[in-house]
Amino acid sequence: MNAFAVAGAWQDIDQEESIMGAENNESRQTALSELRQVLDGRLSTSEAVREQHGHDESWHPGVLPDAVAFAQSTEEISEILRICHRHGMPVIPFGAGTSYEGHLIPTDGGISLDVSGMNEILQVNAEDMDVVVQPGVRRKQLNAWLADTGLFFPVDPGADATLGGMCATRASGTNAVRYRAMSENVLALTVVLADGRIIKTGSRARKSAAGYDLTRLFIGSEGTLGVITEITLRLYGRPEAMASAVCSFETLEGAVNTAIQTIQMGIPIARVELLDEVMMGATIRYSKLDLPERPTLFLEFHGSTQAVAEQAEEVAALAQDNGGGEFRWTTLEEERSALWQARHDCAYACKALRPGCENWATDVCVPPSRLTEIISYIRGVAENSFVPAPILGHVGDGNFHMVFVIDPANREELVEAERINDLLVAKALEMGGTCTGEHGIGLGKMAFLEMEQGEGVEVMRTIKQALDPKNIMNPGKIFNFQAGTVHQHGKPSLAGGSV
Amino acid sequence: MNAFAVAGAWQDIDQEESIMGAENNESRQTALSELRQVLDGRLSTSEAVREQHGHDESWHPGVLPDAVAFAQSTEEISEILRICHRHGMPVIPFGAGTSYEGHLIPTDGGISLDVSGMNEILQVNAEDMDVVVQPGVRRKQLNAWLADTGLFFPVDPGADATLGGMCATRASGTNAVRYRAMSENVLALTVVLADGRIIKTGSRARKSAAGYDLTRLFIGSEGTLGVITEITLRLYGRPEAMASAVCSFETLEGAVNTAIQTIQMGIPIARVELLDEVMMGATIRYSKLDLPERPTLFLEFHGSTQAVAEQAEEVAALAQDNGGGEFRWTTLEEERSALWQARHDCAYACKALRPGCENWATDVCVPPSRLTEIISYIRGVAENSFVPAPILGHVGDGNFHMVFVIDPANREELVEAERINDLLVAKALEMGGTCTGEHGIGLGKMAFLEMEQGEGVEVMRTIKQALDPKNIMNPGKIFNFQAGTVHQHGKPSLAGGSV
């Protein structure tokens, strides 16, 4: 259970439950007893299990599901959804619980459908460089399994998320600049629809023009259109050599321009991560790095031994032109691991800035040429705030995170973080960017989605209403089922009483 | 006007028109007079203009639209669709007319909405490597415009198609093995929906997790969900060097395995095209190539001077291991152009096999490891047929074409081509592939889509019905609006009387 829950968020539950009518409640009780028949011992109503499934890694206050169903197969999920559809019982698919925008919170109760037990790697087609997995397989598990094949799956959102969850949120991460995001690395899905029908989208062909691209419709649908129960992923050959590099810059602009010019020159860089001076300060202290407290790029190159050396030298020259300091690069596994461990530990480094506090990690993505401007702008805002807010990001894609390190029990801090987040997203949209590059909408960014996509949200709503007319699939996420209604779950500036 | 039209396909028109009720007809007349008000001189009912818009480059018999509207702006298209929506008038978006599966044929009459005049390049964002274009911009026009910027747009389906059309059919082509297909190279769209509403999908950010991926829903929707009126595309830096290569093989298997191993080794090859011995025979004669009549790979490498040399040498070694003959590679522009001109002239080379005949070009895509098997199988079928059927394809992706060179006035030949095509697609599906890698469904592959996607087609239909309840957008394409109805337009084995 995360600290937000400890901080009293569970008080919300009663408010939510009181909304339910008695009739509704009766129907749900019937659903639960029918589900118990199907799932036998795998339907849990224990307080501990429900609490574990009542939140994600966001600041949003948790809500208990009515029960947690531990599913074992596509067919079983189909049966579960038929029951829930019949009785109007909400269903929230649950993988590793690592999402950041409240995606997994059962704001209207219902069933948390835990697919983490469906974690088999079903088929490795090494010659075709694809793999078929169940949705509960985690990315590290997959790569460990693939170790002997010479292949790997590159998408790396940091957390050891499930592949089902990574599909559901259109995840990406540090490697996306070279290998792209989930939406570009999934060939096919098996999906159970809200009414229990099972469909297969896509195929094992590497491309297709066969009708509407349903695969991509479900990727990023955050569990609101169906449950993903099988995934066919593209794999890549493990590069012969990998080199990592680090370089500090006098200015933020110098760091960002180095990243932009690297992409423009077509250098197939595998990772290019920016840490601003605040983030570097935190990381240097937490991971004991011998680096200056300045804007810094962490980089990685994949290719032949000759190619990675060539790439590293080209980028080193660009860095020098942009006021970079010493450009240290290495192919030694130990040094490479230490660097990326520090990058992956950034979340802990942030928390260590204020012991006992938690991270609210937001993300936006802008056209890369606007990165310097938006980061300078929001850095300026944050410098005049009492909330620490380090910045780090996948600058090759124009995507970055600001991490508000706050005490979730302190309403003033939540409201202040919300204020900065509002300014950040507004600026990103003004620049032609998006309110989220990889975390998704969940509960946290519904209003921003309306600002960004306008009438497009009405089209999303039309699709949702057509495919899930009873609104049982993860209700209340991404947008409101009925236009014009406003969801206020856990909004810091309005729900102060509950936090 | 293509040869199929000359061959008597226009006889279909009366049959189609006779289906229309008198009431329907009156409503359409009202629509036409309202459209005339909006479009002034840009609504044409001339026979010649309607004939030009009544077919594509497929074998499918043409049908005349009621009129052709030459649109000039998003707002005007919105007004046109409002009128057509009110009166139930079909609308078929039309770009360059180069599609292969009957996508553009107004099987139920209506308006052919020609956007070829909307051909402005609106914004080049060189630093962000993106460009905003109108849908009538053609790919060669775009690349000529970009010549001075050091950037280019790589997707190349062969024909000089419009970018709107390339979005609508999820086009790809020779460069997709490195740069991917349209769906992976479009950042944002402006779309006019069936009822005239205008939406913007995506943004200029290079990735996003903001709600449902509407961009990808419209890419490949073949004009059945709305009209694409603005497109934001990813661009790429022009590589410092390009090298082309050609290599003949003793066996088909040797050629295919060389392609597969190249991909597996992570060599970032830009093009790898297979021509089978029949296709090589035709090309050698047509383009006067000094090459043996054997399975042959045409290849291209992009990168630094050093990198392309390295890549070419690596692939040459693989080719030798697989029984390849001399591996000739060059960076000389003149020799490179001659090679790719021959590749792009393959369609003419096919036609030259039987003067006066036409090409029916089909396409499937399979997991690459199955390529040898499926090509050998269908080669065997074709060898026992009286219809010449060369094979060529983008083997790095597992995608290839068979071209039936037939006399469209000869029903027996159409039925024979259909028989081989049926066997080809059935085999591709059996192998876990798709009935079309890049040409789309149109009229020609509707039954195959049902075989491939099953219940998924019902989901597509649900989306179509929700977004275009009056079925005005390119009706009768991809799938039937009502489940269970069967569309037989121009089916060779059934519509013999009309061809």
Side-chain angles (χ1 to χ4, degrees):
Chain A
M1 200 162 75
N2 72 8
F4 293 111
V6 173
W10 299 108
Q11 292 166 19
D12 255 11
I13 301 164
D14 293 338
Q15 295 175 17
E16 298 284 331
E17 283 187 345
S18 68
I19 298 164
M20 267 194 246
E23 196 182 321
N24 194 352
N25 205 1
E26 196 184 311
S27 187
R28 290 196 183 184
Q29 288 311 320
T30 314
L32 284 179
S33 81
E34 289 181 23
L35 288 168
R36 201 162 282 120
Q37 301 281 318
V38 171
L39 286 149
D40 200 22
R42 288 176 287 105
L43 185 78
S44 173
T45 50
S46 99
E47 189 85 4
V49 172
R50 290 161 65 212
E51 282 190 1
Q52 192 199 2
H53 289 79
H55 62 87
D56 59 8
E57 295 194 358
S58 71
W59 63 269
H60 293 274
V63 177
L64 290 191
D66 294 320
V68 179
F70 294 90
Q72 285 185 331
S73 71
T74 299
E75 292 64 33
E76 188 176 81
I77 290 175
S78 168
E79 223 176 319
I80 292 169
L81 291 202
R82 276 178 211 283
I83 293 168
C84 291
H85 187 252
R86 198 156 57 234
H87 297 289
M89 173 72 108
V91 178
I92 298 94
F94 190 101
T98 54
S99 56
Y100 270 134
E101 290 292 351
H103 303 77
L104 300 172
I105 300 173
T107 47
D108 189 26
I111 297 296
S112 182
L113 181 61
D114 188 320
V115 299
S116 63
M118 289 172 65
N119 62 354
E120 275 180 54
I121 295 161
L122 301 171
Q123 208 183 102
V124 178
N125 301 299
E127 217 180 350
D128 292 317
M129 300 168 76
D130 68 53
V131 64
V132 184
V133 301
Q134 289 190 313
V137 171
R138 293 182 181 231
R139 64 174 187 87
K140 289 184 184 170
Q141 173 195 353
L142 176 60
N143 279 325
W145 182 276
L146 293 170
D148 294 338
T149 64
L151 300 169
F152 79 120
F153 181 69
V155 184
D156 172 5
D160 191 17
T162 62
L163 290 156
M166 287 166 66
C167 287
T169 52
R170 277 209 257 175
S172 47
T174 53
N175 279 315
V177 65
R178 177 171 175 138
Y179 299 97
R180 308 247 182 146
M182 281 308 279
S183 50
E184 279 122 330
N185 285 297
V186 177
L187 297 174
L189 295 173
T190 299
V191 178
V192 182
L193 301 175
D195 59 8
R197 278 180 298 158
I198 299 167
I199 63 166
K200 289 182 192 251
T201 73
S203 71
R204 279 190 52 237
R206 294 179 86 73
K207 63 185 196 186
S208 175
Y212 301 167
D213 191 347
L214 297 182
T215 306
R216 264 66 173 258
L217 179 64
F218 287 99
I219 292 175
S221 64
E222 302 186 5
T224 65
L225 295 177
V227 184
I228 295 168
T229 63
E230 213 170 284
I231 307 157
T232 306
L233 298 165
R234 270 178 185 260
L235 298 175
Y236 294 81
R238 249 175 231 279
E240 176 190 321
M242 296 191 196
S244 299
V246 63
C247 185
S248 305
F249 292 80
E250 285 298 325
T251 62
L252 177 76
E253 197 171 5
V256 171
N257 284 347
T258 302
I260 292 176
Q261 289 162 16
T262 299
I263 308 295
Q264 283 175 338
M265 285 182 58
I267 299 168
I269 196 158
R271 288 170 161 161
V272 50
E273 298 287 301
L274 171 76
L275 288 78
D276 81 345
E277 62 273 31
V278 183
M279 189 69 248
M280 277 305 289
T283 296
I284 288 163
R285 281 184 290 282
Y286 185 83
S287 297
K288 318 227 172 342
L289 300 181
D290 178 24
L291 289 168
E293 210 163 314
R294 275 193 249 141
T296 301
L297 292 180
F298 286 18
L299 309 104
E300 191 164 88
F301 308 99
H302 292 177
S304 66
T305 309
Q306 191 178 340
V308 298
E310 192 187 333
Q311 292 173 36
E313 279 153 25
E314 283 172 341
V315 178
L318 292 176
Q320 195 159 37
D321 291 348
N322 286 292
E326 190 192 358
F327 189 93
R328 285 152 53 176
W329 71 275
T330 177
T331 54
L332 289 179
E333 179 58 27
E334 198 180 336
E335 293 178 21
R336 288 186 49 242
S337 292
L339 186 73
W340 293 109
Q341 192 60 50
R343 169 60 186 86
H344 279 330
D345 285 346
C346 277
Y348 299 109
C350 289
K351 280 194 194 181
L353 286 174
R354 291 184 70 197
C357 287
E358 292 287 334
N359 296 336
W360 168 352
T362 189
D363 99 294
V364 295
C365 190
V366 297
S369 67
R370 310 301 296 274
L371 266 173
T372 303
E373 186 184 343
I374 191 169
I375 295 178
S376 303
Y377 161 78
I378 205 67
R379 181 77 282 139
V381 171
E383 269 163 16
N384 293 308
S385 171
F386 58 89
V387 166
I391 286 173
L392 72 167
H394 321 307
V395 284
D397 297 317
N399 183 203
F400 68 95
H401 306 290
M402 187 164 223
V403 184
F404 308 116
V405 189
I406 53 171
D407 170 6
N410 184 327
R411 181 169 176 263
E412 204 185 344
E413 294 191 13
L414 269 177
V415 170
E416 173 65 357
E418 186 191 36
R419 181 184 73 85
I420 304 174
N421 193 36
D422 284 356
L423 291 171
L424 175 63
V425 174
K427 181 64 82 180
L429 297 185
E430 186 190 310
M431 291 176 165
T434 178
C435 65
T436 172
E438 56 183 18
H439 289 177
I441 300 298
L443 288 169
K445 287 191 165 163
M446 290 168 61
F448 298 137
L449 182 71
E450 298 270 355
M451 289 165 63
E452 179 181 328
Q453 295 289 319
E455 189 69 23
V457 179
E458 193 50 49
V459 174
M460 296 178 199
R461 192 176 283 121
T462 302
I463 293 169
K464 164 79 173 173
Q465 288 168 341
L467 292 178
D468 179 19
K470 292 186 169 183
N471 192 24
I472 64 163
M473 292 307 311
N474 204 3
K477 310 298 158 51
I478 308 185
F479 46 76
N480 293 296
F481 190 69
Q482 303 293 346
T485 56
V486 179
H487 192 102
Q488 302 284 10
H489 175 83
K491 194 168 157 59
S493 51
L494 292 163
S498 73
V499 290
Chain B
M1 202 164 73
N2 72 8
F4 293 113
V6 174
W10 299 108
Q11 293 165 18
D12 255 12
I13 301 164
D14 293 338
Q15 294 176 17
E16 296 286 332
E17 283 186 346
S18 69
I19 298 164
M20 267 194 243
E23 198 182 320
N24 194 353
N25 205 1
E26 195 183 312
S27 187
R28 290 194 182 185
Q29 288 309 321
T30 314
L32 284 179
S33 81
E34 289 180 24
L35 288 169
R36 202 162 280 121
Q37 301 280 318
V38 171
L39 285 149
D40 201 22
R42 289 177 289 103
L43 186 78
S44 173
T45 50
S46 98
E47 189 85 4
V49 171
R50 289 162 65 213
E51 280 190 2
Q52 192 198 4
H53 290 77
H55 62 86
D56 59 8
E57 295 194 358
S58 71
W59 64 268
H60 293 273
V63 176
L64 291 190
D66 294 321
V68 179
F70 293 90
Q72 285 185 331
S73 71
T74 299
E75 293 65 32
E76 188 176 81
I77 291 174
S78 168
E79 224 176 319
I80 292 168
L81 291 202
R82 275 178 212 284
I83 292 168
C84 291
H85 187 251
R86 199 155 56 235
H87 297 290
M89 173 73 110
V91 178
I92 298 93
F94 190 101
T98 54
S99 55
Y100 270 134
E101 290 291 351
H103 303 77
L104 301 172
I105 301 173
T107 46
D108 189 26
I111 298 295
S112 180
L113 181 62
D114 188 321
V115 300
S116 63
M118 290 172 65
N119 61 355
E120 276 180 54
I121 294 161
L122 300 171
Q123 211 184 98
V124 179
N125 302 300
E127 218 179 351
D128 291 318
M129 300 169 75
D130 69 53
V131 63
V132 185
V133 300
Q134 289 190 313
V137 171
R138 292 180 183 234
R139 65 175 187 87
K140 288 184 183 169
Q141 172 195 353
L142 175 60
N143 279 325
W145 181 277
L146 294 171
D148 294 340
T149 63
L151 299 169
F152 79 120
F153 181 69
V155 184
D156 172 4
D160 191 17
T162 61
L163 290 157
M166 287 165 66
C167 286
T169 51
R170 279 209 256 172
S172 49
T174 53
N175 279 315
V177 64
R178 177 171 175 138
Y179 299 97
R180 307 246 182 147
M182 280 309 279
S183 50
E184 279 119 333
N185 285 298
V186 176
L187 296 173
L189 295 173
T190 300
V191 178
V192 182
L193 301 175
D195 60 8
R197 278 180 299 159
I198 299 167
I199 63 164
K200 289 181 191 252
T201 72
S203 72
R204 279 190 52 239
R206 293 178 87 72
K207 63 185 196 185
S208 175
Y212 301 165
D213 191 347
L214 297 182
T215 306
R216 262 64 173 259
L217 179 63
F218 287 100
I219 293 174
S221 64
E222 302 187 5
T224 64
L225 294 178
V227 185
I228 294 168
T229 64
E230 215 171 280
I231 307 156
T232 306
L233 297 167
R234 270 177 185 260
L235 299 175
Y236 294 80
R238 249 175 232 280
E240 177 190 320
M242 295 191 198
S244 298
V246 64
C247 185
S248 305
F249 291 80
E250 286 299 326
T251 62
L252 177 77
E253 196 170 6
V256 171
N257 284 347
T258 301
I260 292 176
Q261 289 163 14
T262 298
I263 308 295
Q264 282 175 339
M265 284 182 59
I267 300 168
I269 195 159
R271 288 171 162 161
V272 52
E273 298 287 300
L274 170 76
L275 289 78
D276 80 344
E277 61 273 31
V278 183
M279 189 69 246
M280 277 305 289
T283 297
I284 287 163
R285 281 185 288 281
Y286 185 84
S287 297
K288 317 224 173 344
L289 301 182
D290 177 23
L291 288 168
E293 211 163 311
R294 274 192 248 140
T296 301
L297 292 180
F298 286 19
L299 309 104
E300 191 164 87
F301 308 98
H302 292 177
S304 67
T305 308
Q306 192 178 339
V308 299
E310 192 186 332
Q311 291 172 36
E313 280 154 26
E314 283 172 341
V315 178
L318 291 177
Q320 197 160 36
D321 290 348
N322 285 293
E326 191 192 358
F327 189 93
R328 284 151 56 175
W329 71 275
T330 178
T331 54
L332 289 180
E333 179 58 27
E334 198 181 336
E335 293 178 20
R336 288 187 49 244
S337 292
L339 185 72
W340 292 109
Q341 191 60 48
R343 169 62 186 84
H344 280 331
D345 285 345
C346 277
Y348 299 109
C350 290
K351 281 195 195 183
L353 286 174
R354 293 183 69 195
C357 288
E358 293 287 333
N359 296 336
W360 168 352
T362 188
D363 98 294
V364 295
C365 190
V366 296
S369 68
R370 310 301 295 273
L371 267 173
T372 303
E373 185 185 344
I374 191 170
I375 295 178
S376 302
Y377 162 77
I378 205 67
R379 182 77 281 140
V381 172
E383 270 163 16
N384 293 308
S385 170
F386 57 90
V387 166
I391 286 173
L392 72 168
H394 321 308
V395 284
D397 297 317
N399 183 203
F400 69 95
H401 306 290
M402 187 165 225
V403 184
F404 308 115
V405 188
I406 53 169
D407 170 6
N410 183 326
R411 180 169 176 261
E412 204 184 344
E413 294 192 12
L414 270 176
V415 170
E416 172 65 357
E418 187 192 35
R419 181 184 73 86
I420 303 174
N421 193 36
D422 285 356
L423 291 172
L424 175 63
V425 173
K427 181 63 80 178
L429 297 185
E430 186 190 309
M431 291 176 166
T434 178
C435 66
T436 171
E438 57 183 18
H439 289 176
I441 300 296
L443 288 170
K445 287 191 165 161
M446 290 167 60
F448 299 136
L449 182 71
E450 299 269 355
M451 287 165 64
E452 179 181 328
Q453 295 288 320
E455 189 69 24
V457 180
E458 192 52 47
V459 174
M460 298 179 198
R461 192 177 282 120
T462 302
I463 293 169
K464 164 78 174 174
Q465 288 169 342
L467 293 177
D468 179 19
K470 292 185 169 186
N471 192 24
I472 65 164
M473 292 308 310
N474 204 5
K477 309 298 157 52
I478 307 185
F479 46 77
N480 294 296
F481 190 67
Q482 303 292 346
T485 56
V486 179
H487 193 101
Q488 302 285 12
H489 175 82
K491 195 167 159 54
S493 51
L494 293 162
S498 73
V499 290

